[in-house]
């Protein structure tokens, strides 16, 4: 009986301490709002070297053709099936993560490659990725893709967005 009482008290203590006070929650929400409202300007002040068009990573440019490389796109589709499809749809519909439709029309190839290969740094530095994280609520895991695998996935994204061979 004593064990039950002690466990109950410990459980209540843990529950109460995890809730925090309303002032702390209010301060945190105000901080989040200021980051949200400042967007990319906030990042440029804090990290002037961050380029939101290329992202954070080793790619400053990625050579792509006007025509689709079907071999790469087919390999990229296989990678998508194994490592990406559990969280991303090829439509604009959100699953766990955002849908991929038109991603190559919204993002530069270097940004996509940097995000695929340097996920953690991009999540930490890119204000638009951070906004998406607030919507999706799940941090994208680093899939440890090779550069070739990432490039194949980019080509598959291009195919998904209607680029023709």
């Amino acid at each position: 009986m004593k064990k039950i009482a002690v466990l109950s008290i410990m459980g209540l203590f843990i529950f109460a301490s995890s809730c925090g006070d309303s002032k702390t929650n209010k301060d945190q929400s105000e901080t989040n709002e200021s980051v949200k409202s400042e967007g990319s300007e906030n990042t440029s002040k804090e990290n002037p070297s961050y380029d939101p068009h290329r992202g954070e990573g080793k790619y400053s440019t990625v050579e792509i053709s006007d025509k689709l490389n079907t071999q790469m796109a087919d390999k990229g589709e296989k990678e998508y099936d194994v490592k990406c499809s559990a969280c991303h749809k090829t439509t604009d519909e959100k699953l766990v993560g955002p849908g991929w439709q038109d991603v190559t029309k919204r993002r530069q190839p270097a940004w996509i490659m940097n995000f695929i290969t340097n996920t953690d740094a991009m999540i930490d530095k890119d204000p638009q990725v951070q906004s998406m994280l607030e919507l999706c609520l799940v941090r994208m895991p680093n899939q440890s893709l090779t550069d070739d695998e990432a490039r194949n996935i980019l080509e598959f994204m291009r195919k998904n967005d209607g680029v023709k061979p």
Side-chain angles (χ1 to χ4, degrees), residues 80 84-89 91-99 136:
Y80 166 83
C84 309
S85 64
C87 296
H88 299 281
K89 291 188 174 192
T91 64
D92 63 353
E93 185 179 355
K94 176 184 166 282
L95 189 54
V96 174
C136 295

Side-chain angles (χ1 to χ4, degrees), residues 78-109:
K78 289 176 185 172
E79 288 295 330
Y80 166 83
D81 289 340
V82 172
K83 295 192 174 186
C84 309
S85 64
C87 296
H88 299 281
K89 291 188 174 192
T90 56
T91 64
D92 63 353
E93 185 179 355
K94 176 184 166 282
L95 189 54
V96 174
W100 281 8
Q101 183 176 3
D102 293 334
V103 71
T104 61
K105 296 175 184 175
R106 294 188 309 269
R107 300 290 186 178
Q108 297 294 317

Side-chain angles (χ1 to χ4, degrees), residues 79 83-84 116-117 142-150 153:
E79 288 295 330
K83 295 192 174 186
C84 309
I116 292 171
T117 60
N142 185 337
Q143 296 290 338
S144 300
L145 294 167
T146 67
D147 293 345
D148 288 339
E149 291 168 334
I153 289 172

Side-chain angles (χ1 to χ4, degrees), residues 16-31:
S17 66
S18 68
C19 292
D21 63 58
S22 60
K23 183 179 181 333
T24 303
N25 292 339
K26 183 177 182 234
D27 291 345
Q28 183 63 41
S29 69
E30 287 173 359
T31 301

Side-chain angles (χ1 to χ4, degrees), residues 5-136:
V6 170
L7 290 174
S8 297
I9 291 170
M10 287 176 56
L12 285 173
F13 177 74
I14 291 170
F15 176 76
S17 66
S18 68
C19 292
D21 63 58
S22 60
K23 183 179 181 333
T24 303
N25 292 339
K26 183 177 182 234
D27 291 345
Q28 183 63 41
S29 69
E30 287 173 359
T31 301
N32 289 343
E33 286 302 315
S34 71
V35 170
K36 253 192 266 181
S37 65
E38 292 178 21
S40 60
E41 295 82 13
N42 186 36
T43 300
S44 63
K45 289 177 189 172
E46 290 177 13
N47 186 359
S49 66
Y50 182 78
D51 180 356
H53 298 290
R54 74 172 275 280
E56 180 73 20
K58 63 181 169 185
Y59 294 98
S60 55
T61 61
V62 176
E63 297 296 322
I64 59 170
S65 171
D66 291 340
K67 295 183 178 189
L68 184 74
N69 181 322
T70 55
Q71 288 180 324
M72 290 174 73
D74 291 344
K75 289 178 186 176
E77 186 170 9
K78 289 176 185 172
E79 288 295 330
Y80 166 83
D81 289 340
V82 172
K83 295 192 174 186
C84 309
S85 64
C87 296
H88 299 281
K89 291 188 174 192
T90 56
T91 64
D92 63 353
E93 185 179 355
K94 176 184 166 282
L95 189 54
V96 174
W100 281 8
Q101 183 176 3
D102 293 334
V103 71
T104 61
K105 296 175 184 175
R106 294 188 309 269
R107 300 290 186 178
Q108 297 294 317
W111 189 97
I112 294 169
M113 290 291 292
N114 284 326
F115 188 64
I116 292 171
T117 60
N118 197 25
T119 307
D120 295 325
M122 290 284 289
I123 291 171
D124 292 341
K125 294 183 179 183
D126 192 286
Q128 292 178 342
V129 173
Q130 292 167 357
S131 295
M132 189 60 66
L133 179 60
E134 289 179 17
L135 295 173
C136 295

